[in-house]
């Protein structure tokens, strides 16, 4: 369950939930399609990070163990 926060952020920027996109839509006045296209790079990075944490859970546990 170390990747739960990454999954939550992915849900916030992808369709069905898109809460962050609707906030940007109201603030910026841009088209929703422009906002979704702009967030695709972030989505790819988040998916990559989630896969890393799922398959190598030590990455998520390393920093808290050093404190």
């Amino acid at each position: 369950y170390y990747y739960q926060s990454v999954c939550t952020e992915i849900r916030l920027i992808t369709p069905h939930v898109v809460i962050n996109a609707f906030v940007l839509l109201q603030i910026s006045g841009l088209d929703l399609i422009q906002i979704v296209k702009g967030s695709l790079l972030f989505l790819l990075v988040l998916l990559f990070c989630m896969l890393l944490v799922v398959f190598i859970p030590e990455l998520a546990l390393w920093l808290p163990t050093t404190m």
Side-chain angles (χ1 to χ4, degrees), residues 2 9 13-14 18-19 25 37-39 49 52 57 59 65-66:
Y2 309 112
E9 184 58 34
I13 66 172
T14 55
V18 201
I19 292 173
L25 182 70
K37 284 181 184 178
S39 67
C49 291
L52 278 177
L59 290 174
T65 59
T66 61

Side-chain angles (χ1 to χ4, degrees), residues 12-55:
L12 291 174
I13 66 172
T14 55
H16 190 69
V17 178
V18 201
I19 292 173
N20 290 352
F22 286 128
V23 170
L24 282 173
L25 182 70
Q26 293 297 320
I27 292 172
S28 67
L30 294 173
D31 188 24
L32 184 61
I33 294 184
Q34 290 176 323
I35 293 171
V36 171
K37 284 181 184 178
S39 67
L40 287 178
L41 178 63
F42 295 103
L43 176 64
L44 293 175
V45 170
L46 285 171
L47 287 172
F48 177 72
C49 291
M50 184 181 69
L51 288 174
L52 278 177
V53 172
V54 166
F55 292 113

